[in-house]
Amino acid sequence: MRLALKHPGAALGIAFLAVVLLASFVAPLILPLDPLAQDFTATLDPPSAAHWFGTDELGRDILARVIAGARTSLTTAAGAVLIAGCIGVPIGLVAGFFGGWRDAVLMRLVDVLLALPGILFAMALIAVIGRSQMAALVAVGITGIPGFARITRAQVLALRRLDFVLAVEAMGGSASYSMFRTVLPNAWSPILVQVVILTSVAILLEAALAFLGVGIPPPAPSWGDMLRTGKQYLYEAPTYAVLPGLVLTLTILSLDTIGRTLARVLEDRQGAHLATLDEPA
Amino acid sequence: MIGFVLRRLAQMLPVLLLASLAIWAMVYAVPGSPVGALVGENATPEQIQATIARLGLDRPMLLQYWSWLHHALEGDFGLSIQNREPVVTLILQRIPATLQLGLSASAVGLALGVPVALASALRPRGWLDRMLSGWSALALGVPTFWLGILLILLFAVRLRWLPSVSAYVPVMDDPAGALRNTLLPALTLGVYVSGIFARFLRAALLGELRADYVRTARSKGLRERDVIGRHVLRNALLPFVTIVGLMTASFIGGAVVTEAVFTYPGLGRLLIQAIDARDYPLIQGCIMCILVIYIGINVLVDVLYAYIDPRIDYG
């Protein structure tokens, strides 16, 4: 509570995300919202009491589609971050811990991934494996690998020189013991920040792919795809593209604010004992 | 100097080789035969024969890659499946449009980002700084495709000042028309990149303001305007050149989304059209071309940086 008062931005972000999560996973169970129900007598209606966000070109309720889209968007982003973390963290761990040729080879591979803007890489990959939710998830996930690898590597490099890690080594602890039981547990906090920030990037990237028409294929509702269709009816129904975009933007901003606040809080908390790290040994 | 440039290029070679291998291997990963992916399903037997002969699709894989790379280095990516035009011609047609948008977006980004960074760095943690850092977060967090739609709604649908679909009008031919058509996409991209510029330059300025020479300059009684304008800004702008170059480079290919919002005929849109049509030679050509430009600008920025900063030698 005290933290919430100190960081009102992050608190607002958490509140908004809670509403989105609640709406997307609980609301469909109690409310009569059907994102696929068509009504050709009410197409492209402006927002009203019956349809808070209006209706789309097939008379489907836009709010219901935004809520269903949240589910697609959030699960895709979560899956993508999971993939990125499960590959990126071990890469950074091994590269930072062992150094030498392992470091050179692994980080060069990461550099290749970084050499292309993420969205281009994702598009090229989807061009090969075809459009599906899995394809979007994997493509977005792979673009997140460099972020995790670099953060983990930097953290491991800093920890590696510390007395308690050297002590484990001196007492004959194996490399894997030292790596997984000593270094990794102390490297979590920046990785956690990366998880939050990357989730917002993943949501944005997934929406961008859908907007370009290479994301999750319709009729599954997705925020990016709604913006893509809404853009064709800017004159007839301006709110069609504006409202789903607003929810998307607020979600991204919420995650970004939470991530940056988290980073600052962890920095302050660790400041005392991390400050001594930077002094040359 | 020439040695430095060559060395930087040589460092980029493995990245380019690996990327080109991946781009080449693309057609083999596509379900169906690579010949089908390269010439399309409606190709005549002659066209199929010609492609097999040109790329030697019956030879060992490594040789096939070598001959593809060899042709690619000469600018020959084959023919587009859609209209049988050489891929290079299609790409070259789009480059001026992409450059015009990329450069104007960077200009907008600088015009918005530099004053924001200056204003917030001069009074760090003041109310203006807080507001402006909020602006940066907003600029980075708002998806460009949503911002673009909002701008179209305001300026094209409501006010009817600007077209909702942006064509490419060369500045040299028709400055007014070019402005009307490039303004909205450049603004959309520029707002986004101004967030990056502002954050980066603010950090650089704060770093410089703490330096000893600033205290010396102030204690000599120099006016604050001269301290900032002559010393601090100059030193802070140095690393800033790198980030401006990098962002401009990423606009060449990374403006895909903005180009889609405004149906602007740039390189990114060509790539989307190619992906839509499953036009694999065109996809390969576009990605390879974007990559080469991107890496080329990266090297150029490094060289420029070493050139303007006397502290870096070419060793």
Side-chain angles (χ1 to χ4, degrees), chain B residues 152-171:
Chain B
I152 293 179
L153 272 175
L154 179 63
F155 289 105
V157 176
R158 193 57 49 87
L159 299 172
R160 292 174 192 278
W161 289 351
L162 297 164
S164 65
V165 172
S166 300
Y168 167 56
V169 181
V171 209

Side-chain angles (χ1 to χ4, degrees), chain B residues 18-216:
Chain B
L18 261 177
S20 74
L21 193 65
I23 292 169
W24 164 78
M26 234 170 97
V27 284
Y28 291 86
V30 174
S33 76
V35 193
L38 284 172
V39 293
E41 279 147 18
N42 310 321
T44 63
E46 291 81 39
Q47 284 163 344
I48 294 175
Q49 277 313 314
T51 310
I52 291 180
R54 192 175 71 91
L55 296 175
L57 289 173
D58 46 357
R59 288 181 300 161
M61 294 286 256
L62 209 62
L63 271 176
Q64 292 183 34
Y65 168 62
W66 180 246
S67 99
W68 178 81
L69 187 68
H70 186 82
H71 280 105
L73 285 176
E74 289 172 345
D76 175 12
F77 287 95
L79 301 178
S80 154
I81 292 176
Q82 297 164 81
N83 47 19
R84 303 272 155 221
E85 272 189 80
V87 166
V88 207
T89 322
L90 293 172
I91 291 176
L92 286 179
Q93 281 168 358
R94 299 297 183 105
I95 293 216
T98 288
L99 274 181
Q100 180 165 315
L101 176 58
L103 291 177
S104 15
S106 294
V108 173
L110 284 176
L112 291 173
V114 172
V116 166
L118 270 174
S120 45
L122 292 182
R123 296 258 182 287
R125 297 197 171 240
W127 63 270
L128 192 62
D129 184 26
R130 277 159 200 270
M131 266 183 55
L132 292 176
S133 78
W135 156 265
S136 304
L138 212 60
L140 290 174
V142 175
T144 47
F145 44 97
W146 190 55
L147 179 64
I149 286 175
L150 292 183
L151 287 175
I152 293 179
L153 272 175
L154 179 63
F155 289 105
V157 176
R158 193 57 49 87
L159 299 172
R160 292 174 192 278
W161 289 351
L162 297 164
S164 65
V165 172
S166 300
Y168 167 56
V169 181
V171 209
M172 297 304 170
D173 299 355
D174 175 11
L179 187 68
R180 275 174 54 84
N181 281 285
T182 323
L183 186 64
L184 287 187
L187 199 61
T188 308
L189 267 180
V191 164
Y192 166 75
V193 80
S194 77
I196 297 180
F197 286 171
R199 268 193 194 168
F200 200 88
L201 186 59
R202 176 180 178 276
L205 283 170
L206 286 180
E208 290 300 330
L209 278 168
R210 273 197 292 269
D212 288 337
Y213 72 84
V214 175
R215 196 168 351 118
T216 312

